[in-house]
Amino acid sequence: MRKINFFDTTLRDGEQSPGVNLNAQEKLIIAKQLERLGVNIIEAGFPASSRGDFLGVQEIARTIKNCSVAGLARCVKGDIDAAWEALKDGVEPRIHVFIATSDIHLKHKLKKTREEVVEQAVSMVKYAKERFPVVQWSAEDACRTDLAFLAEIVEKVIDAGASVINLPDTVGYLAPEEYGNIFRYMKEHVPNIDRVNLSAHCHDDLGMAVANSLAAIENGANQIETAVNGIGERAGNAALEEIAVALHIRKDFYQVESTIQLNEIKRTSDVVSKYSGMIVPRNKAVVGNNAFAHESGIHQDGFLKEKTTYEIISPELVGVTTDVLVLGKHSGRHAFKDRMKTLGFKLTEDEINKFFETFKNLTEKKKEITDDDLISIILEEKVADRKIGYEFESLQVHYGTEQMPTATVSLKNQETQEVIQEAATGAGSVEAVYNTLERCMEERIHLLDYRIQSNGKGRDALAEVYVTVSIEGKETAGRGVAQDVLEASAKAYVNAVNRHLIFKSNLIEIEKHHAIS
């Protein structure tokens, strides 16, 4: 069967989702999970866009060993140089260069003629090929580009050294038949098209990103560009999990295969959702909580008699576990360690000891610990190791319907080890907590967004809180998990401030490095 490569852009296009702000450590954790998932290429970022993005891409390229790591670049020498410096230590450095080709982009954005765009594309692909073994070239807004001109520029960039040609539906405009026709046209009108892989990158503005991607495969695309949970600019990208499962379940129709490890899909979805703060809708295909639920009496009757009457995807296929093993206060270290292994975490003995202690503390408050609980506390701990900013110690809140809510908070400055205690009031309990935290910190903080959800079911479910704040004119996000809603709210706020302080610290280190060199 024909092989389809998965080019995952969760860490680049996905991170461009409004409100998503991943730090370098979170990106690395997601990259490692994408490697376990079996994607072929990870687009780790846009190295020329910022020093922070450069360092994040560099760290991922140096760490990932089982798939190619790519960086985005405009058809500009400076972008290509930055991408090479960030990616050169990877196992298969790959660059993704792009330039717009539609008349609307040429006229209003680039202010260039078609001839000038062809010249720039060809010269920059040649320049990139001097460094990178694999050069992918994208025609931004290909879907609204004159097909004859698109065929002309594609032929010339292939001669210049491009190995992959991406024809993106940048604004999610086309219907599947129209998008598939672009690939057919290229195959029929570009003489050297057999020297490259064709790639599809679809946005979901009209809700057709997955359908368009599948149409591209039907018409000769060998690479699909996706994001986990379909996150990305505006309405998002084609969802990796939906395409991967569709190709598997309907292998009889599509006649293709991939390297995606389907049983890692649910965990990958959870990791991306928790770090990005973008909640997966309950009715989301493949990974939503309702994806394998049956409520209609007629459906339940048929399902109980024969699962395939109403279930074309088994939960186990995508890693939704039906394991009855429950961890609780009497569970030992061995059972905990075995569960971590089952969930796919590769932990050192020191990490096992630390997380086991956190687990035992949680069992004093919660009777049964679910897999979601374990994933939440481990993901939270894994990004809380850097000793910059503040450590949450304690919280006390006084509230009554006839009283002004009052909060008292204790924080520890992780650099000076000084314990800071403050109290303040607010119109509500959360506001009182946040007013108090702001008093504790030397930052002027503006809360932009506050969201809460339960992690699991039942009265004792953990609360997950996501916040977005503005500090010194820069937005940053934070996440907190606790059994108590107010404690989770406080931890999310502290986490957001710490992320800002770590970012500032990285900038200072970068400036020092430049001053020395």
Side-chain angles (χ1 to χ4, degrees):
M1 286 188 178
R2 185 161 59 99
K3 180 190 173 186
I4 299 298
N5 286 331
F6 274 77
F7 177 109
D8 186 83
T9 187
T10 302
L11 296 176
R12 200 276 301 169
D13 204 333
E15 202 208 4
Q16 292 173 203
S17 304
V20 175
N21 180 10
L22 301 171
N23 63 34
Q25 193 174 7
E26 290 166 337
K27 280 190 168 186
L28 185 59
I29 292 170
I30 292 173
K32 289 179 179 178
Q33 179 57 32
L34 291 171
E35 183 180 31
R36 280 192 289 270
L37 179 63
V39 303
N40 305 99
I41 304 104
I42 297 173
E43 187 172 44
F46 188 172
S49 64
S50 70
R51 187 65 180 171
D53 217 31
F54 174 93
L55 294 173
V57 173
Q58 185 178 61
E59 182 66 18
I60 291 170
R62 289 174 174 175
T63 303
I64 299 300
K65 302 300 180 189
N66 296 316
C67 60
S68 177
V69 177
L72 185 69
R74 295 166 297 184
C75 281
V76 175
K77 281 188 176 182
D79 283 18
I80 295 168
D81 291 340
W84 174 246
E85 288 302 315
L87 294 161
K88 64 184 181 182
D89 296 327
V91 292
E92 187 189 58
R94 181 182 299 236
I95 191 168
H96 177 195
V97 293
F98 72 96
I99 193 167
T101 54
S102 68
D103 288 338
I104 190 170
H105 276 246
L106 268 59
K107 178 181 177 181
H108 297 288
K109 187 178 79 171
L110 297 182
K111 302 188 186 303
K112 291 179 181 289
T113 65
R114 289 183 175 183
E115 292 74 20
E116 288 172 326
V117 166
V118 170
E119 182 183 355
Q120 184 175 347
V122 167
S123 64
M124 289 301 99
V125 167
K126 286 180 178 178
Y127 185 74
K129 190 62 178 176
E130 293 173 4
R131 291 153 179 77
F132 288 89
V134 180
V135 175
Q136 172 171 319
W137 179 81
S138 284
E140 186 184 9
D141 205 26
C143 66
R144 295 187 294 179
T145 300
D146 174 72
L147 289 182
F149 172 59
L150 186 61
E152 175 192 342
I153 193 171
V154 165
E155 180 182 355
K156 289 179 179 177
V157 295
I158 293 173
D159 284 338
S163 306
V164 180
I165 298 295
N166 180 38
L167 305 172
D169 187 2
T170 304
V171 293
Y173 178 71
L174 294 185
E177 185 176 350
E178 294 175 301
Y179 191 57
N181 180 59
I182 294 179
F183 289 82
R184 282 200 306 274
Y185 188 94
M186 293 303 115
K187 283 187 161 291
E188 292 169 1
H189 293 85
V190 178
N192 53 4
I193 199 71
D194 59 329
R195 287 162 45 187
V196 298
N197 282 331
L198 288 177
S199 183
H201 178 115
C202 297
H203 281 265
D204 208 33
D205 298 70
L206 294 177
M208 293 189 284
V210 169
N212 282 345
S213 298
L214 294 172
I217 290 174
E218 291 178 60
N219 288 278
N222 290 321
Q223 178 175 289
I224 299 296
E225 305 192 8
T226 61
V228 176
N229 298 335
I231 66 174
E233 287 271 14
R234 304 181 313 280
N237 291 274
L240 180 151
E241 61 281 356
E242 294 179 24
I243 294 174
V245 172
L247 295 179
H248 174 79
I249 296 295
R250 295 306 315 275
K251 189 176 288 187
D252 62 318
F253 179 79
Y254 292 106
Q255 294 290 305
V256 297
E257 58 186 5
S258 76
T259 57
I260 296 296
Q261 302 299 303
L262 298 177
N263 61 353
E264 289 285 345
I265 281 178
K266 184 62 167 69
R267 180 160 179 258
T268 308
S269 170
D270 289 344
V271 169
V272 171
S273 175
K274 290 180 188 300
Y275 282 147
S276 68
M278 297 190 71
I279 299 166
V280 176
R282 296 185 66 86
N283 65 331
K284 170 78 167 62
V286 179
V287 291
N289 287 340
N290 289 354
F292 305 103
H294 303 274
E295 181 147 341
S296 160
I298 294 173
H299 284 213
Q300 288 175 343
D301 179 65
F303 177 79
L304 291 172
K305 291 174 179 175
E306 170 53 50
K307 286 184 178 182
T308 57
T309 54
Y310 288 103
E311 187 175 89
I312 62 168
I313 310 166
S314 71
E316 294 79 11
L317 178 71
V318 295
V320 175
T321 59
T322 55
D323 200 325
V324 297
L325 177 63
V326 175
L327 296 180
K329 67 185 297 181
H330 300 297
S331 299
R333 189 175 178 281
H334 178 77
F336 176 80
K337 184 177 179 179
D338 183 68
R339 198 62 182 162
M340 292 298 97
K341 186 176 179 181
T342 300
L343 290 173
F345 289 106
K346 296 180 180 178
L347 305 175
T348 65
E349 285 302 311
D350 287 343
E351 287 178 320
I352 287 288
N353 293 334
K354 182 176 77 169
F355 294 140
F356 183 65
E357 184 178 347
T358 303
F359 159 74
K360 294 299 282 186
N361 289 336
L362 183 60
T363 61
E364 296 298 321
K365 306 173 185 176
K366 197 173 189 297
K367 184 178 179 181
E368 295 181 350
I369 310 301
T370 66
D371 287 349
D372 277 347
D373 295 331
L374 292 173
I375 291 170
S376 292
I377 62 177
I378 287 175
L379 294 184
E380 184 179 32
E381 292 282 342
K382 270 184 169 289
V383 295
D385 290 337
R386 190 160 177 194
K387 301 304 180 184
I388 293 177
Y390 303 91
E391 180 182 347
F392 174 84
E393 290 211 322
S394 66
L395 167 68
Q396 189 170 7
V397 179
H398 294 282
Y399 171 79
T401 55
E402 303 298 325
Q403 298 175 342
M404 177 72 73
T406 305
T408 303
V409 172
S410 292
L411 297 181
K412 180 187 286 184
N413 186 310
Q414 296 196 89
E415 293 183 270
T416 65
Q417 295 299 300
E418 174 192 4
V419 176
I420 306 163
Q421 288 186 322
E422 286 287 354
T425 61
S429 298
V430 173
E431 185 182 4
V433 171
Y434 287 175
N435 287 344
T436 308
L437 287 169
E438 191 171 2
R439 280 192 179 183
C440 294
M441 300 168 178
E442 299 175 358
E443 309 288 338
R444 182 71 176 166
I445 307 161
H446 300 281
L447 180 66
L448 303 177
D449 188 30
Y450 173 91
R451 286 175 289 133
I452 184 171
Q453 68 175 38
S454 66
N455 183 45
K457 301 176 181 178
R459 296 182 181 183
D460 63 352
L462 294 180
E464 286 188 291
V465 172
Y466 297 89
V467 299
T468 304
V469 302
S470 175
I471 307 173
E472 298 178 344
K474 296 186 180 298
E475 287 190 22
T476 185
R479 172 179 169 271
V481 179
Q483 193 166 19
D484 182 83
V485 170
L486 295 178
E487 183 181 341
S489 300
K491 286 182 173 180
Y493 199 80
V494 172
N495 178 247
V497 173
N498 286 348
R499 287 162 68 108
H500 170 74
L501 295 174
I502 289 171
F503 178 74
K504 278 180 65 175
S505 173
N506 287 341
L507 287 182
I508 292 169
E509 290 300 319
I510 290 165
E511 288 169 3
K512 284 181 181 177
H513 174 76
H514 284 317
I516 293 170
S517 57

